[in-house]
Amino acid sequence: MAHVEKPDMRKEAGRRTRDGLMAATLELLAEKGHEGLTLREVTQRAGANVAAVSYHFGSLQGLCDVAIEHALERYLDAQILAVESLDSTSTLEELAEAFARPMVRALSAGGEELIVMRTVARVGIDPPQGWERLAGKFERARRDALGVLAAHLPEVDGQELDFRTRCAAGMLNWLALAPIGAELEAMPVERIERQLIPVVAGAFHGWSGVPEGQGSADRG
């Protein structure tokens, strides 16, 4: 008779506690940011005790660092997956759709996915420790996007293309945090895409929104 290994209940309980602490931390970071976050808030939200934080993460800062890295990695993996399927023949609109896909999906789904995006948006202003560990993934996502941009905009230098990419990313982060994000949550994903993709594509194109030859002086 084959031996059936029994699950280690204590180990499983420890994993659930660890995951619960990380989820609670992500929620609180998304709601209020890093400043003012307390150990009491985290443990109350997670239904855990202070000793569990010390055991699994060493400190509140250690817990925050792990939770933030987890959120960043999830975001980068989603963006890389969306953008890496493109090539130099892809249009800038297709790039905009792929680039924005993780945010569109999060806005539509809400819940944990949106919490992750809000955390990424907040910590992007003040990069956490451990950011360097993910440098390769940041570079990969940026390189794939710049490859499509360079193929369509050969007259624009690499520094400006990188700037446009950063602006597009910043705009998506703003959506996660601004009140308009709550409005988008109530929309079907198709409508979010219809409204958002042209705006992101415009950032890549570098359109000013002003017809050529018409500056502010012409609009008197």
Side-chain angles (χ1 to χ4, degrees), residues 55-78:
Y55 176 78
H56 289 288
F57 303 98
S59 65
L60 175 60
Q61 185 60 55
L63 170 56
C64 289
D65 289 345
V66 172
I68 289 169
E69 283 190 47
H70 175 71
L72 286 170
E73 194 156 24
R74 282 183 58 178
Y75 169 75
L76 289 171
D77 285 344

Side-chain angles (χ1 to χ4, degrees), residues 35-52:
E35 293 297 324
L37 183 64
T38 67
L39 191 58
R40 178 185 293 273
E41 288 176 309
V42 171
T43 53
Q44 285 183 342
R45 179 73 62 96
N49 57 46
V50 173

